[in-house]
Amino acid sequence: MKHLHEGWTIAGGEITDLPATVPGCVHTALLAAGRIEDPYLDENETKLAWIGRTSWEYSTTFTPDLDAPRIDLVCAGLDTVASVELNGAPVGRTANMHRGYRFDVRPLLRAGANSLKIKFDSPYAYAEEVRADLGERPNAYPEPFNFIRKQACNFGWDWGPTLVTSGIWQPIGLHSWSVARFAEVRPQVTVAPDGTGRVEVRVRLERAAEEPVTITASVAGRRAQATVDGIEALLILTVDEPALWWPRGLGDQARYDLDVVLSSAAGELDSWSRKIGFRSVRVDTTGDAFTLHINNTPIFVRGVNWIPDDVFADRIVASRLRERFVQAADANVNYLRVWGGGRYESEDFYDLADEMGFLVGQDFLFACAAYPEEEPLRGEVEAEARENVVRLSSHPSLVMWTGNNENIWGHEDWNWKAPLAGRTWGAGYYFDLLPRLMAELDPARFYWPGSPYSGDSKRHPNDPVAGTTHIWDVWNTDDYTKYAAYRPRFVAEFGFQAPPTYATLKRALSDDPLAPDSPGMAHHQKAIGGDQKLERGLANHLPAPRDFDDWHYLTQLNQARAVSFGIRHFRSLRPLCMGSIMWQLNDCWPVTSWAAIDGDGRKKPLWYAMRDAYADHLLTLQPRTAEAPKAGGPDPVAPGAVFVAEGAPALVAVNDGGTPWVVAATVTRRSLSGHVLAASFLNATVAPGSAVTIPLPVDLTTPEDPTRELLLAESGSERSFFLFAADKDIDWPAPNFTTRVTTEGKSTKVAVTATSILRSLTLFPDRLDPSASPDRADVTLLPGETVTFTVTSEESLDEKALVGRPVLRCVNDLT
């Protein structure tokens, strides 16, 4: 294809003949030209609402080659409602950001200069017109995103700005061809019980002539060929015992080149190539379970939810995705759930997932709203689903499609039924259209109607006893210790908020001074009641902050503890619970949110807590009753109450590695000064993919003074603390420690030796250099213990500032 990416200008409103990058969008063109201020800074976002309510025109000229009988204009992605004109003649109209369009333009092309114009209607005007025609439908936000097939979070979310884009967001160009071309190549890759790999390559052609053509497919030295008079063909290749593709941590990511060539007597006409992987996938839902099996191995999903990494898609290049994927891999993540308010992720995204061994669950693009099932939306929904299911079918990383995000739950619980008054809301998509398309186009992949969904229409859709569940009462109304009351099968969303790193705040906000409620901070908190919920979370657990520096440290610490608490609990329930997908890995701009990595790509303390909680070997102290855990959720708890889990702490060892783990643990009850008050030595061998719970002696679990004692479990490098009281109720001694700082090149080592207990010692070197990043966070030291933080930075760091407040922090320094 010959790309048409040069010479574009845009016009709209008072803007005329402004140069524009393609692929791109109006916002990035205006920003590059200095016509708008950066919408991510301060409150600039609020000045840009006019862009989404303006019609825009993209224009360019080009000189084509006219030596082919068929020339198509191929638009891989237009955002969103557009009319295409070539040399003044209408070519076609689009109404879907999530699919491509192809137009035969050979009759309209002429020698020399040709004029191409793409006129984009205001997304708001279109969506509001459809809403007026079809009738209002409830949704979670006062925006019409459910009436247009466009990235929903463009219209704002509880973590994202309202920046409603328009533009040529994917490649565009001319495809010249003759006789026939590949309209669709759809491989289905399976592995038989005897280890034989099978590739069924289904091909659909578009023809410009009726002559016979030949299709040849090859993989791993095997070749199949068919001569075709019509437009469809099936080629089958078998590979004896191919090397399997495994998720990260369980084996290699073996991939093979699959090549498909279309030819005629005159030579090659078209070609298609992808890397494929042989693996088997199934999800066991028998007996209320929800367990993912890869190559007949049950997998505990150590997951994160993924949102678009930037509001403006042209900024999300392969190198940026790789950085994010490396951060996820380093945090021991094995699963990425692509959330339904964003996009069908890119080839770059899925190629990286294939290469690095991530499992991926892709939502169909419906989120937090009732969606009309009538035209003009229904036809677009089917077209986008067909295109993307086929497009992604070759990727071994993709293991699951989900019908929507929270819409079945919303219909049940969010007071939708009365205002809907019998109008359609999406059920026909989730329970009929999408499963039929999956059965037709990609039957080997698992489909689940929604997230959450319990698997039975007679059961509440968010019942944790079966299927997938979202746990949001913890953030919205209750304390994070309530996670311990849940016995879920698979948790697809849960999380807790905190602000971004300090360096990110200082870059994005001009507030002076910074405060939790200063104008920029308030604008970059999109969750309703978010600051009050942060305050409630702190009040339940930690000393009251005295200033912004305290607030920033404590809210980030509380987020890390909350999510770590949930992950450790869910993993400790294995095999009852087989999945934990934390909300969320990443941010799309600088914002107070649930993310582990902020909008500037910096790791918050949550990232380190997640890394430790998702480690292959997990040693954790968990409250346990004598009765074996059963699936289900907690009994009702008063809003804002601190849930106290029943039962004495027990030692749980979880092994998600590939070999047995021999645990030789020492568990001690200690005073805050470090003195051992009781001790026990416990041994267990934990098989791969399993968990072992070891009860503790009464003298360990019964403190004399809960506010002055703690439990510590240790086995090799694995360590777990259990406090009998909240930090705010403990009389922590004043922090006492010595430090030693050594620097070599871009690496600085900060050794801290405790002479008193140091609770949740954390280093924030980005306060000194925005590029600086530590290797760990939230470390509790007993007297006499030493930890060494390794900091990487581009600039030299002030050694005195590095070991003082507000850079080096612990809970003790608030008491």
Side-chain angles (χ1 to χ4, degrees):
M1 185 171 75
K2 178 183 178 181
H3 286 128
L4 300 177
H5 291 170
E6 305 300 324
W8 287 93
T9 60
I10 61 170
E14 299 178 358
I15 305 295
T16 59
D17 296 327
L18 189 74
T21 298
V22 169
C25 72
V26 170
H27 286 77
T28 52
L30 294 170
L31 189 59
R35 302 297 292 268
I36 61 172
E37 296 178 279
D38 188 336
Y40 291 0
L41 305 184
D42 294 316
E43 300 173 64
N44 292 342
E45 169 207 351
T46 59
K47 305 172 186 176
L48 306 181
W50 63 274
I51 297 174
R53 294 196 172 276
T54 300
S55 297
W56 296 92
E57 181 175 284
Y58 274 67
S59 303
T60 192
T61 59
F62 63 94
T63 301
D65 296 325
L66 299 176
D67 56 356
R70 178 71 180 262
I71 303 176
D72 293 347
L73 177 65
V74 180
C75 308
L78 299 178
D79 176 17
T80 291
V81 181
S83 299
V84 182
E85 292 183 3
L86 180 59
N87 295 324
V91 170
R93 186 160 171 81
T94 75
N96 194 331
M97 178 182 180
H98 304 305
R99 57 172 289 208
Y101 294 83
R102 176 183 285 263
F103 307 105
D104 178 5
V105 294
R106 182 64 181 85
L108 299 176
L109 291 169
R110 60 196 181 199
N114 286 250
S115 170
L116 178 62
K117 296 181 184 295
I118 303 180
K119 301 177 179 179
F120 291 92
D121 295 353
S122 158
Y124 274 111
Y126 175 86
E128 289 164 355
E129 181 180 342
V130 173
R131 181 174 62 186
D133 288 344
L134 299 183
E136 181 65 271
R137 303 294 200 283
N139 69 28
Y141 302 98
E143 296 279 342
F145 63 83
N146 47 336
F147 293 93
I148 184 172
R149 295 312 298 159
K150 175 176 173 56
Q151 187 167 291
C153 60
N154 270 183
F155 291 87
W157 222 258
D158 55 6
W159 40 258
T162 303
L163 295 167
V164 180
T165 56
S166 292
I168 305 170
W169 78 286
Q170 295 275 47
I172 186 171
L174 295 176
H175 179 208
S176 300
W177 58 282
S178 62
V179 182
R181 71 171 187 89
F182 287 137
E184 182 179 291
V185 179
R186 178 164 50 93
Q188 182 176 313
V189 184
T190 55
V191 181
D194 66 358
T196 300
R198 179 181 173 95
V199 185
E200 297 181 5
V201 183
R202 288 174 171 80
V203 177
R204 184 169 57 82
L205 303 178
E206 183 179 9
R207 283 185 169 273
E210 296 303 318
E211 66 187 80
V213 294
T214 300
I215 302 171
T216 305
S218 58
V219 66
R222 302 301 177 95
R223 188 169 177 268
Q225 192 171 79
T227 299
V228 182
D229 293 321
I231 63 169
E232 293 186 345
L234 169 64
L235 293 84
I236 298 175
L237 303 102
T238 59
V239 180
D240 296 333
E241 297 184 349
L244 298 181
W245 184 94
W246 285 93
R248 53 179 299 100
L250 292 179
D252 295 332
Q253 289 75 54
R255 293 190 290 165
Y256 295 82
D257 292 319
L258 172 62
D259 298 307
V260 188
V261 176
L262 176 67
S263 58
S264 69
E268 183 175 309
L269 300 172
D270 204 352
S271 63
W272 181 98
S273 297
R274 297 288 189 278
K275 288 187 178 295
I276 62 170
F278 291 93
R279 84 289 181 268
S280 65
V281 178
R282 66 183 177 92
V283 178
D284 179 10
T285 60
T286 60
D288 295 334
F290 196 90
T291 304
L292 176 64
H293 293 253
I294 306 294
N295 301 329
N296 297 315
T297 301
I299 307 294
F300 189 97
V301 166
R302 292 176 278 173
V304 289
N305 282 272
W306 173 272
I307 66 169
D309 204 52
D310 199 290
V311 174
F312 308 124
D314 53 301
R315 293 175 169 177
I316 310 173
V317 295
S319 59
R320 176 167 171 170
L321 287 172
R322 184 174 290 277
E323 178 185 351
R324 221 51 82 238
F325 275 47
V326 168
Q327 290 170 321
D330 289 347
N332 298 307
V333 167
N334 65 8
Y335 189 101
L336 306 171
R337 176 194 169 216
V338 183
W339 168 75
R343 60 176 289 193
Y344 300 103
E345 268 301 341
S346 65
E347 290 300 312
D348 287 338
F349 179 99
Y350 277 97
D351 284 342
L352 276 170
D354 293 345
E355 172 194 329
M356 298 179 67
F358 286 103
L359 302 166
V360 181
Q362 171 76 59
D363 283 9
F364 286 100
L365 300 186
F366 307 92
C368 302
Y371 283 79
E373 298 171 37
E374 294 79 23
E375 298 295 349
L377 298 176
R378 184 180 179 84
E380 290 295 342
V381 166
E382 178 167 354
E384 79 182 48
R386 283 185 176 277
E387 178 176 315
N388 286 284
V389 169
V390 170
R391 176 175 69 89
L392 299 175
S393 64
S394 63
H395 292 285
S397 57
L398 178 58
V399 296
M400 186 185 309
W401 284 91
T402 300
N404 69 85
N405 176 77
E406 297 191 342
N407 295 346
I408 303 172
W409 181 21
H411 182 260
E412 184 65 27
D413 273 1
W414 298 354
N415 300 315
W416 289 3
K417 294 178 182 178
L420 278 172
R423 290 191 293 271
T424 59
W425 59 275
Y429 297 143
Y430 318 137
F431 296 107
D432 178 25
L433 176 64
L434 297 177
R436 280 196 291 107
L437 292 179
M438 290 299 300
E440 173 193 344
L441 300 172
D442 199 4
R445 274 194 178 82
F446 182 77
Y447 171 80
W448 197 242
S451 185
Y453 185 60
S454 61
D456 186 341
S457 61
K458 298 177 182 178
R459 186 158 42 202
H460 190 282
N462 198 31
D463 189 340
V465 76
T468 60
T469 191
H470 292 189
I471 300 177
W472 283 116
D473 53 358
V474 164
W475 163 250
N476 285 314
T477 56
D478 296 300
D479 186 68
Y480 70 72
T481 52
K482 189 179 179 181
Y483 286 133
Y486 279 90
R487 300 291 186 270
R489 292 292 193 168
F490 190 103
V491 187
E493 280 189 23
F494 67 102
F496 211 87
Q497 265 202 356
T501 62
Y502 188 80
T504 295
L505 287 175
K506 292 298 287 183
R507 185 195 69 81
L509 305 181
S510 58
D511 296 1
D512 187 17
L514 280 170
D517 58 353
S518 58
M521 286 294 299
H523 184 74
H524 289 245
Q525 165 61 278
K526 295 294 188 178
I528 297 173
D531 287 342
Q532 291 71 36
K533 294 170 185 178
L534 288 173
E535 183 179 347
R536 185 195 71 234
L538 289 184
N540 286 337
H541 292 279
L542 290 160
R546 301 160 297 187
D547 54 24
F548 180 81
D549 291 336
D550 283 356
W551 179 86
H552 188 259
Y553 162 58
L554 293 174
T555 51
Q556 289 203 329
L557 174 62
N558 208 45
Q559 178 191 42
R561 287 189 183 177
V563 175
S564 176
F565 184 96
I567 292 173
R568 289 169 183 269
H569 168 66
F570 302 141
R571 289 188 70 192
S572 78
L573 298 176
R574 179 175 184 152
L576 179 76
C577 177
M578 287 300 289
S580 159
I581 309 181
M582 186 274 294
W583 184 273
Q584 65 213 63
L585 176 68
N586 57 326
D587 268 327
C588 62
W589 75 313
V591 65
T592 297
S593 84
W594 299 263
I597 301 165
D598 73 18
D600 281 6
R602 296 187 177 93
K603 295 178 284 192
K604 293 155 70 171
L606 168 57
W607 181 90
Y608 301 91
M610 181 173 67
R611 177 191 63 184
D612 296 344
Y614 273 157
D616 281 353
H617 293 163
L618 175 67
L619 199 68
T620 180
L621 292 160
Q622 295 286 329
R624 285 291 185 266
T625 59
E627 183 181 1
K630 298 177 181 178
D635 293 329
V637 179
V642 177
F643 176 84
V644 180
E646 295 181 359
L651 182 66
V652 184
V654 183
N655 180 14
D656 274 318
T659 59
W661 178 26
V662 177
V663 177
T666 302
V667 183
T668 53
R669 178 166 58 87
R670 297 172 181 252
S671 66
L672 297 185
S673 61
H675 291 108
V676 176
L677 306 175
S680 186
F681 304 95
L682 306 169
N683 297 284
T685 298
V686 189
S690 66
V692 172
T693 299
I694 309 169
L696 298 179
V698 173
D699 62 342
L700 282 177
T701 61
T702 309
E704 296 177 10
D705 184 347
T707 66
R708 295 179 178 271
E709 299 173 26
L710 53 80
L711 282 181
L712 172 62
E714 299 173 282
S715 178
S717 61
E718 306 301 320
R719 203 173 200 210
S720 180
F721 283 93
F722 183 94
L723 271 63
F724 296 102
D727 285 68
K728 66 183 179 64
D729 298 323
I730 294 174
D731 187 16
W732 298 105
N736 241 315
F737 57 90
T738 60
T739 60
R740 188 167 70 91
V741 180
T742 57
T743 300
E744 183 176 344
K746 296 181 179 181
S747 177
T748 300
K749 295 187 181 299
V750 182
V752 181
T753 300
T755 50
S756 70
I757 190 171
L758 301 178
R759 176 64 168 156
S760 294
L761 188 69
T762 305
L763 193 65
F764 297 96
D766 64 288
R767 283 177 169 265
L768 306 178
D769 172 16
S771 74
S773 177
D775 66 335
R776 65 189 68 205
D778 191 3
V779 180
T780 294
L781 295 179
L782 296 173
E785 294 181 334
T786 298
V787 65
T788 299
F789 296 91
T790 300
V791 179
T792 56
S793 64
E794 295 297 322
E795 305 293 334
S796 59
L797 303 175
D798 182 316
E799 294 187 5
K800 182 177 180 181
L802 194 58
V803 296
R805 184 182 187 276
V807 179
L808 184 64
R809 300 301 309 266
C810 64
V811 172
N812 311 47
D813 66 33
L814 281 91
T815 59

